[in-house]
Amino acid sequence: MTEIVLMSDPKVAAIPVAECGERLVDVRLGDSLLVDTRKQDPTDTFAYLREGVVERLLKAQMMLPQGLRLLFVEGYRPPSLQREYFEEYADQLRAAHLDWSAEQIHSAASRYVSPPEIAPHSAGAAVDLTLAGADGHELDLGTRMNADPEESAGACYTHAADISEEARANRKLLGTVLTAAGMVNYPTEWWHWSFGDRYWALITGEAAALYGPKEVGSCS
């Protein structure tokens, strides 16, 4: 397996941001994507993404076999909510690993939640999604979406070995169309894909990210 670069890696934070000013748009407009509301936030901005990311999702969806759709679960995440998620998971790890250093906790937490200062979701650059039939019924991708490494015994990793052949095939299909559309995966989470953020820039060799963090008020 190729070495995994975690979000906490200094190489990610070192990528500069050349903010392009692209708008955040609501993916629910036009009904082109199936949208699940399980991660709907109080500000109702979970369904927002940068325009360029939405374009790539629609391109990927067109490459899917007939009868299959992308199922959008979460896009934009306010920085305050991102911080809350990160600290909550870090607290769980501290309680479970009393001997771990602060650096170990920070690194381990970043397998599942991006550090707030570089979070792709807070830039409107990342999306959590899966595959579904035309009726919205989710396909088997090996774990529930947002299963952490402890709960899933590592099966949440995109290239995990201990999943069914059906789940592996579905992950491959999802990855094939999204990669072809120009997006990159965070390999500890099969459902997390992004474009234009610092992690995308590092993985693709770009000199800078296109999108930096935005506050909720910027979505209008």
Side-chain angles (χ1 to χ4, degrees), residues 97-171:
H97 303 281
L98 299 177
D99 58 329
W100 282 11
S101 67
E103 183 178 351
Q104 285 175 300
I105 294 293
H106 190 269
S107 178
S110 77
R111 298 170 303 163
Y112 181 56
V113 186
S114 176
E117 59 273 15
I118 55 95
H121 279 289
S122 295
V127 57
D128 293 342
L129 79 174
T130 187
L131 289 173
D135 61 354
H137 182 74
E138 293 181 42
L139 274 60
D140 177 16
L141 276 91
T143 72
R144 71 175 185 89
M145 184 179 290
N146 293 316
D148 63 44
E150 288 75 28
E151 171 193 332
S152 67
C156 60
Y157 282 49
T158 305
H159 299 292
D162 193 20
I163 59 174
S164 69
E165 288 301 319
E166 179 183 4
R168 185 172 293 108
N170 287 334
R171 288 188 188 187

Side-chain angles (χ1 to χ4, degrees), residues 73-85:
V73 175
E74 186 179 20
Y76 176 76
R77 189 181 293 158
S80 58
L81 185 59
Q82 181 70 32
R83 193 170 299 108
E84 180 183 322
Y85 284 170

Side-chain angles (χ1 to χ4, degrees), residues 5 11-12 15-16 56 125 178-187 193-211:
V5 178
K11 294 194 294 288
V12 181
I15 296 290
R56 282 160 178 80
L178 290 169
T179 300
M183 301 185 71
V184 300
N185 172 242
Y186 189 43
W193 291 79
S194 69
F195 169 81
D197 60 299
R198 282 168 157 156
Y199 196 83
W200 164 86
L202 178 67
I203 298 303
T204 60
E206 294 290 332
L210 304 175
Y211 311 133

